[in-house]
Amino acid sequence: MNKALCYIVGAGEPSSVPPCPRPGDLLIAADGGFETLRVHGLTPDLVIGDFDSLREVPDHPNLVRLNPIKDETDTLSAILLGQQRGYERFAIYGGTGGRTDHTIANLQNLVMLAQAGQRGWLVGQNEVFTAIHNGCIRFRADSKGYLSVFSMTTESTGVCESGLKYHLDNYTMTNAYPVGVSNEFTGSAAEVSVENGTLLILYTMEATEL
């Protein structure tokens, strides 16, 4: 997997931490995310959107203007653009805290990426969302705060949670019963895995993935 990150900054609520692109990463402003990046003194590599949030078309050399009558959100269009450029890991900022329908759309984007064998992170004010499909996620022992796990498929089988306050072992989790809400880190290395299915995972900023 390409380890470089495609950062996408949208028009929703800014995260408590700004994006921090490194050489090889791609930084995309999705519509009103252009203004968020300007506030942080960051210049995007690309700007994409129909610009209904920004209310003006920015002056940028690499700009993709979308028709406002479209099937994809600006954020999804940015993801597809990143995929076309070979990126498989996506960090989405400004994708929560605005319109609820766009937040839900961004959660579905995480599921789409996981089921394609890729990874996405939706970074909120004090928490991070991600999704895994037929795989696992691990956290460092110094992780703090809480972690919640939800099935995004009708059934997710072989779910295991270890190193956390509440354990699961070979559990069948469904998308109609929130048994995985509000687990806690305990000072041990932690792991969540699923044998068959897709899990949405929410954890606090004090946690660090391995």
Side-chain angles (χ1 to χ4, degrees):
M1 179 180 287
N2 183 355
K3 295 300 182 183
L5 272 170
C6 176
Y7 287 90
I8 298 169
V9 180
E13 181 180 53
S15 167
S16 56
V17 295
C20 187
R22 298 179 180 181
D25 293 340
L26 181 66
L27 180 59
I28 302 177
D31 204 315
F34 184 83
E35 176 62 20
T36 299
L37 289 176
R38 187 194 66 78
V39 169
H40 287 295
L42 295 170
T43 301
D45 299 304
L46 297 168
V47 182
I48 189 170
D50 56 16
F51 305 110
D52 60 341
S53 298
L54 194 59
R55 299 186 184 278
E56 63 178 1
V57 179
D59 182 16
H60 192 279
N62 298 313
L63 185 140
V64 178
R65 188 168 186 179
L66 302 173
N67 189 321
I69 302 173
K70 59 188 189 301
D71 293 329
E72 294 85 15
T73 64
D74 292 342
T75 301
L76 177 53
S77 295
I79 290 172
L80 297 175
L81 188 60
Q83 288 175 325
Q84 290 171 11
R85 292 176 175 239
Y87 288 85
E88 299 174 319
R89 301 166 76 242
F90 297 83
I92 303 167
Y93 289 69
T96 63
R99 285 174 46 181
T100 303
D101 54 351
H102 280 273
T103 299
I104 294 171
N106 287 326
L107 296 176
Q108 288 192 325
N109 288 336
L110 299 180
V111 172
M112 175 198 71
L113 289 167
Q115 292 181 349
Q118 302 179 358
R119 279 292 298 279
W121 294 267
L122 178 59
V123 184
Q125 269 287 315
N126 298 298
E127 56 199 11
V128 178
F129 298 86
T130 191
I132 60 172
H133 178 72
N134 298 355
C136 68
I137 183 171
R138 298 181 177 92
F139 295 89
R140 286 176 19 175
D142 59 359
S143 294
K144 297 179 181 179
Y146 65 87
L147 173 145
S148 293
V149 179
F150 305 95
S151 177
M152 300 301 284
T153 40
T154 303
E155 285 189 348
S156 293
T157 60
V159 177
C160 298
E161 298 185 22
S162 61
L164 298 160
K165 183 174 181 179
Y166 307 107
H167 290 216
L168 288 177
D169 183 24
N170 198 29
Y171 186 82
T172 296
M173 188 175 284
T174 75
N175 63 355
Y177 186 72
V179 67
V181 71
S182 295
N183 213 330
E184 298 176 24
F185 293 101
T186 62
S188 300
E191 178 176 313
V192 177
S193 62
V194 56
E195 183 176 324
N196 187 14
T198 305
L199 300 180
L200 177 70
I201 298 168
L202 163 65
Y203 58 88
T204 47
M205 287 286 192
E206 295 85 3
T208 305
E209 288 190 43
L210 287 170

